[in-house]
Structure formats: structure tokens, C-alpha cells
Amino acid sequence: MYKLLGGLGQYLKWQEVTTDSMVFRLHNHFTTVLLFTCSMVITAAQYVGNPISCIVKDLPKHPINTYCWITSTFTMPDAFNRQVGVEVAHPGVANDFGDVDARKYYTYYQWVCFVLFFQAVMCYVPQWLWNMWEGGLANALVMGMNHGLDREANIHQKKCVLMDYIINHKQTHSMYVYRYFGCEFLCLLNIFFQMYLMNRFFDGEFISYGLRVLQFSDAPQEERIDPMVYVFPRVTKCIFHKYGASGTIQTHDSLCILPLNIVNEKTYIFIWFWFAILSVLLLGLVVYRAAIIFAPIIRPRLLHVSSRLLSIETCNSISKKTDLGDWWLLYVLSSNMNSRIYRDFLQELTKKMSDTQSVAP
């Protein structure tokens, strides 16, 4: 298990050249690693441990455990409101008195580990798309100027190469920026889509899951229904039929303990709160990107904030001379290049672009 989880650590390593935002990495890297980790932990608990243990009389235990695990177990929803130890033996466990339609079957706990795995894959899709579209452009343009520990002649040569690239490829980076913004928007859609799917997966119980857990501690003792126990019951019922010695069908009613649901309930309450936080962050990020697109007046301020050594006049000048794609590329370089080198580079670039425009007919 340690080796399996240790292999996920490489996705959380710090990268010297970054082309994405912190929120983008939280979705693509942290959330992916989180979901993969939860999937492996639950898989280990499910297939290495004993995920179900049923109490049954005069029947072999292992076949009953296997049968109840693969066919699902059930509770009686109205029994969650009854007093444990007085009216019912366990929350949700009561006699159905032949009312089969009143049973609430739980079929999803066998699939939790697989669902978490596919959720992790879905969270990594935007990062995969961006890596494919970005193609290492920023890393190629930085050329080691993120450290500044190089000879002055080499730095000057690299700045000239970078400057020539920006000028010769002016107004050709629109797809670069819109693809990245599209990947960030895809992250937001992915979170909303996953919450919708999980709500369907848990029979409509997931959307309000975290809120009900928060409200649980404030409710009066006699009115408390633990939402975690309701969604992930620890004790359920299972009906097993077999033939008797004379061919008569016998019904065996058993109680089943589901220790795996202890892990499931803690996993999904954390996922609920993390997805809620991530949704707010991504929604704010999308609004922020929309402001960059439709309000060019804020671009010089953002460039000035990203590199404090630059004067606001230089930021205003270069922002007027570039479109959104070129400005975004310069903004990405500001967070990846040595601040002193970047200041000198942008000042020279601004001057050179001004001279070019003045010479042009």
C-alpha cells in the first residue's frame, strides 16, 4: 500500500515552470491524487479485509456473506426514526411485515472503489488536454532564465531570442490562452457534473449530505438521524432463500454488518466539503478569467502585481501593444522568469515594439 500511494507523490511535486493557476492544480493534481488514494484505500479494505459479516443460524457463514454482498442488503427507512434498543435493534433495521416496497436497498457500496477511480480520471482530463495543447511552449521560452545564475552574455542572447519570438509571432497566441481558459472552465463543469453523478449514484442523498451532517449536531437528541448512518448504514438486513429437506422453500432473515461503510462515510464527507470548496474557487476563477477577457483595463494591473520590479507605465504600454494571447504569454513568463531578468526583458521589448510601430508605414 505504501508503494502504491508513494507513486502518487510525483503528481504533487513542485514544477519549476508552471503555466497554470493554483486552483487549476488543486483540481487536476491534488483532487486526482485524493480520489486515487481513496479508491486504493477502499479497494484494500474491500478485497483484503472482510467488507461484510452476516449473522445467520444453521447456515454456513461464508456463502451467506458472499450472497448478501453481491445481491445487496436493505434497511427500512421509517425505522431510522425509532429509538434504538427500545423499538429497533439498530438504526434502520426493523421487520418489514411483508411490505417489500418499503425496503431501501443499498447496491452502491460494491462500486465505490471503481467510481472513485473514474472520478480521479475525470479530474485529470483537463490537465491532460492542457499538457497536449501547451506542448512545452513556456518551458522552451524560459530557457533557464528562471534562476538567473548564468553569464550575462548568455542571458542577453536568450532575451534576444525570446524577444524575436514574441515580435515575429505577434497575435498568434489567441488559441493558447483560450484553450487554457477552456480547460479551467472544463474543471468547473467536471466538478458540477461529478456532484450530479454522485447524487444519482447515492439515490439523491449526496447534494445535501454535508449540510445534513453539519445540522446533525444541532438537532435535539430525540430528533437526531445520523445522515452518515442513513446513507452508509453499518447494519442492514438480507433475505436468503433455500430449499429444505423436503423441497419446501425456506426463508432466512439475517443481520449484516458492513464495516466498509465506516470508511465510505468518512471518505465521502471529506469529498463533499472539498468539492464544495473547489466549486467556489473554480467559479471565482472563471469569473476572474471573464474579467481578463472583457475588461482589458485590468491587465496592466495584473502584470504589475505579478512582477513588482516593473513600473506601471511599462505594464500599461506593453498591454496596449499586445492582444490577449500575447499578453497572457507575457503574464505566464512573469511568474517563471527571474524578476530582474524579466524586468529588463519587458522594458527592452516595449521599446523595441514602439520602435517597430513608429517605423511601420
Side-chain angles (χ1 to χ4, degrees), residues 195-212:
M195 293 185 75
Y196 168 76
L197 287 183
M198 283 189 287
N199 194 56
R200 293 290 301 270
F201 182 60
F202 292 117
D203 297 328
E205 301 290 344
F206 182 77
I207 293 296
S208 61
Y209 183 47
L211 295 176
R212 284 184 288 140

Side-chain angles (χ1 to χ4, degrees), residues 138-185:
N139 188 57
L141 294 179
V142 170
M143 294 180 288
M145 289 187 288
N146 50 337
H147 300 298
L149 301 176
D150 200 354
R151 291 184 301 174
E152 195 65 32
N154 289 340
I155 293 177
H156 177 72
Q157 184 180 5
K158 291 177 181 178
K159 286 192 297 184
C160 290
V161 172
L162 178 57
M163 203 175 309
D164 290 339
Y165 173 84
I166 297 294
I167 294 175
N168 294 332
H169 295 82
K170 189 178 178 181
Q171 297 182 346
T172 61
H173 301 100
S174 296
M175 289 302 297
Y176 184 86
V177 62
Y178 285 121
R179 281 174 173 175
Y180 174 67
F181 287 178
C183 287
E184 288 187 332
F185 184 66

Side-chain angles (χ1 to χ4, degrees), residues 347-360:
Q347 288 174 348
E348 294 174 16
L349 177 64
T350 304
K351 184 177 183 302
K352 190 170 183 178
M353 292 182 74
S354 300
D355 294 340
T356 302
Q357 289 181 357
S358 62
V359 172

Side-chain angles (χ1 to χ4, degrees), residues 181-244:
F181 287 178
C183 287
E184 288 187 332
F185 184 66
L186 183 61
C187 293
L188 179 63
L189 293 181
N190 175 60
I191 291 297
F192 286 163
F193 183 62
Q194 286 203 28
M195 293 185 75
Y196 168 76
L197 287 183
M198 283 189 287
N199 194 56
R200 293 290 301 270
F201 182 60
F202 292 117
D203 297 328
E205 301 290 344
F206 182 77
I207 293 296
S208 61
Y209 183 47
L211 295 176
R212 284 184 288 140
V213 170
L214 290 177
Q215 296 169 356
F216 171 67
S217 58
D218 297 330
Q221 185 67 35
E222 61 276 7
E223 298 178 7
R224 288 188 177 185
I225 301 177
D226 190 344
M228 290 190 289
V229 174
Y230 183 78
V231 179
F232 299 101
R234 298 156 192 179
V235 181
T236 56
K237 294 185 67 176
C238 178
I239 305 297
F240 181 78
H241 300 282
K242 67 179 290 290
Y243 286 103

Side-chain angles (χ1 to χ4, degrees), residues 18-163:
T18 57
T19 59
D20 47 15
S21 65
M22 180 60 70
V23 178
F24 191 69
R25 290 193 293 273
L26 284 176
H27 175 277
N28 299 327
H29 293 277
F30 178 78
T31 307
T32 299
V33 171
L34 170 67
L35 294 173
F36 268 131
T37 301
C38 292
S39 176
M40 286 190 286
V41 169
I42 292 177
T43 300
Q46 179 170 324
Y47 293 103
V48 177
N50 188 16
I52 189 170
S53 181
C54 296
I55 303 172
V56 67
K57 185 179 180 182
D58 301 330
L59 287 176
K61 191 172 183 179
H62 180 69
I64 300 301
N65 287 342
T66 303
Y67 172 81
C68 292
W69 175 256
I70 63 177
T71 59
S72 74
T73 57
F74 67 91
T75 60
M76 302 299 296
D78 63 332
F80 285 97
N81 299 313
R82 303 177 192 175
Q83 188 176 357
V84 177
V86 178
E87 299 176 279
V88 294
H90 300 279
V93 178
N95 195 329
D96 58 16
F97 296 105
D99 188 3
V100 178
D101 295 333
R103 299 173 184 174
K104 178 178 175 60
Y105 281 90
Y106 297 86
T107 59
Y108 46 74
Y109 48 74
Q110 304 102 320
W111 302 98
V112 166
C113 60
F114 303 106
V115 170
L116 287 170
F117 175 82
F118 286 112
Q119 283 185 255
V121 172
M122 290 175 65
C123 283
Y124 193 72
V125 167
Q127 182 67 58
W128 176 78
L129 285 174
W130 176 237
N131 289 341
M132 180 178 63
W133 285 334
E134 204 275 335
L137 176 62
N139 188 57
L141 294 179
V142 170
M143 294 180 288
M145 289 187 288
N146 50 337
H147 300 298
L149 301 176
D150 200 354
R151 291 184 301 174
E152 195 65 32
N154 289 340
I155 293 177
H156 177 72
Q157 184 180 5
K158 291 177 181 178
K159 286 192 297 184
C160 290
V161 172
L162 178 57
M163 203 175 309

